[in-house]
Amino acid sequence: MKYQLFIIINLIFIQVFFGQNESGKAEIIIDENGKEHRILNFENGKEKQSEYLNLLLECKKKADSLLITHFEHYFLKNKLILNAKNSNWFIKGHRIRIDSLITQKPKEVELTYSYVDNNHIFDIIEIGFDCENIVKITFTNGVPKTSNYEIKIDYDNASKIVKKKKFNKKTEEQLKFSNMGTLSLEYTEEDVYRWEIHKKIKQKIGKQVGSCSSVTIHSKALFINAETGEITIKKNIKSRGNIHWY
């Protein structure tokens, strides 16, 4: 059996936000060729001894090669990082985190890259691989068609625009029943990233059936092009969902 050496270096601790505060740790993994790989939320322990770590890094190298042709180099190096917590192996229909100790070769892997902006993190890119025989990319989501793409409007600047446009105030109802008033970063069909936040105009809760009620929300939305800063406001957006009562 061939043994390969991987060096793990703790890099930083950052606070991340997925609706609530959560600790995230970035590490540098140095492979047998001396190449550094930054990975967020990579767990400590024996899983790093997995013989499939080299397969993971091979997938990551291919993903990095794809991303470097589409994103501005400094942005890619400093703002995008592979997130192990939300990346998975697929084995016999089961989804397993990529830093878990596995005993059989996976057929597929899905890597998630996050945009890290000071104290905030957003999952924005997914890249899928077939790794049963030759490792190859099977799908991408969130990769722009252009080259040298860069998110120039960061979270702080987007938040200032939100505040200026008075989209930042959350009511008690919004906090309880929806994620409105939360700033998110989305990739659109127009091949651009945009900051997005919704502000509720009115909400109608339907008749309760068992522990569930339907809810209809009328809102308006603020969109900020993350590259150019262009602002768009859409009014009277109607959405439907359910509320579960406990």
Side-chain angles (χ1 to χ4, degrees):
M1 180 182 292
K2 181 181 178 182
Y3 291 90
Q4 294 179 313
L5 175 65
F6 298 93
I7 302 173
I8 314 296
I9 301 175
N10 288 347
L11 182 60
I12 56 173
F13 283 87
I14 61 175
Q15 282 300 111
V16 299
F17 299 83
F18 293 98
Q20 58 182 0
N21 291 358
E22 179 180 339
S23 290
K25 183 170 65 174
E27 291 183 338
I28 290 179
I29 298 176
I30 303 176
D31 65 22
E32 72 274 15
N33 297 317
K35 180 176 174 58
E36 293 185 356
H37 300 268
R38 285 199 313 154
I39 300 182
L40 184 67
N41 288 319
F42 202 81
E43 298 289 342
N44 289 316
K46 63 182 182 180
E47 63 272 3
K48 296 195 178 70
Q49 301 170 15
S50 169
E51 62 182 290
Y52 297 108
L53 180 58
N54 58 331
L55 177 59
L56 165 63
L57 296 183
E58 183 180 354
C59 292
K60 182 180 179 295
K61 287 177 183 177
K62 286 185 178 292
D64 290 347
S65 295
L66 171 66
L67 294 176
I68 203 169
T69 63
H70 294 278
F71 286 94
E72 193 273 333
H73 180 71
Y74 177 86
F75 175 82
L76 176 61
K77 182 179 179 181
N78 293 278
K79 296 295 185 178
L80 289 181
I81 185 169
L82 176 63
N83 192 332
K85 180 178 180 179
N86 297 317
S87 299
N88 297 281
W89 300 117
F90 289 88
I91 302 175
K92 293 183 177 180
H94 295 287
R95 182 188 298 261
I96 304 170
R97 270 183 59 162
I98 59 170
D99 56 354
S100 299
L101 182 61
I102 55 177
T103 57
Q104 52 185 310
K105 184 178 179 180
K107 292 185 177 181
E108 299 173 43
V109 64
E110 184 179 297
L111 301 184
T112 297
Y113 280 74
S114 298
Y115 167 61
V116 178
D117 182 7
N118 294 324
N119 294 328
H120 304 273
I121 181 170
F122 301 88
D123 293 342
I124 62 172
I125 296 170
E126 293 177 334
I127 302 177
F129 294 85
D130 180 346
C131 48
E132 188 170 11
N133 296 306
I134 299 174
V135 175
K136 59 182 179 181
I137 295 175
T138 55
F139 76 87
T140 65
N141 183 28
V143 179
K145 297 181 178 67
T146 58
S147 59
N148 292 318
Y149 190 90
E150 181 181 2
I151 294 174
K152 296 177 180 178
I153 308 299
D154 62 16
Y155 181 89
D156 288 342
N157 285 323
S159 296
K160 290 177 183 177
I161 296 171
V162 166
K163 186 176 181 180
K164 184 178 180 181
K165 297 294 182 180
K166 298 181 179 180
F167 271 75
N168 59 313
K169 293 183 179 180
K170 279 188 176 184
T171 66
E172 186 176 344
E173 261 190 319
Q174 287 173 330
L175 290 169
K176 187 174 182 180
F177 295 131
S178 75
N179 62 354
M180 288 192 179
T182 300
L183 188 61
S184 62
L185 182 61
E186 310 291 341
Y187 180 71
T188 73
E189 293 180 354
E190 290 76 29
D191 197 37
V192 297
Y193 279 97
R194 71 183 182 191
W195 295 100
E196 178 177 335
I197 189 168
H198 290 253
K199 182 178 182 179
K200 188 182 69 174
I201 300 172
K202 62 180 180 179
Q203 173 177 287
K204 182 179 179 181
I205 299 175
K207 183 178 179 181
Q208 183 174 343
V209 179
S211 61
C212 182
S213 297
S214 62
V215 59
T216 302
I217 297 174
H218 295 265
S219 66
K220 61 180 180 178
L222 172 67
F223 303 106
I224 307 165
N225 187 304
E227 186 180 30
T228 66
E230 180 183 357
I231 297 171
T232 304
I233 295 177
K234 290 187 178 180
K235 299 180 179 180
N236 199 25
I237 298 173
K238 189 175 181 180
S239 57
R240 293 185 176 89
N242 294 302
I243 296 175
H244 295 271
W245 305 97
Y246 297 97

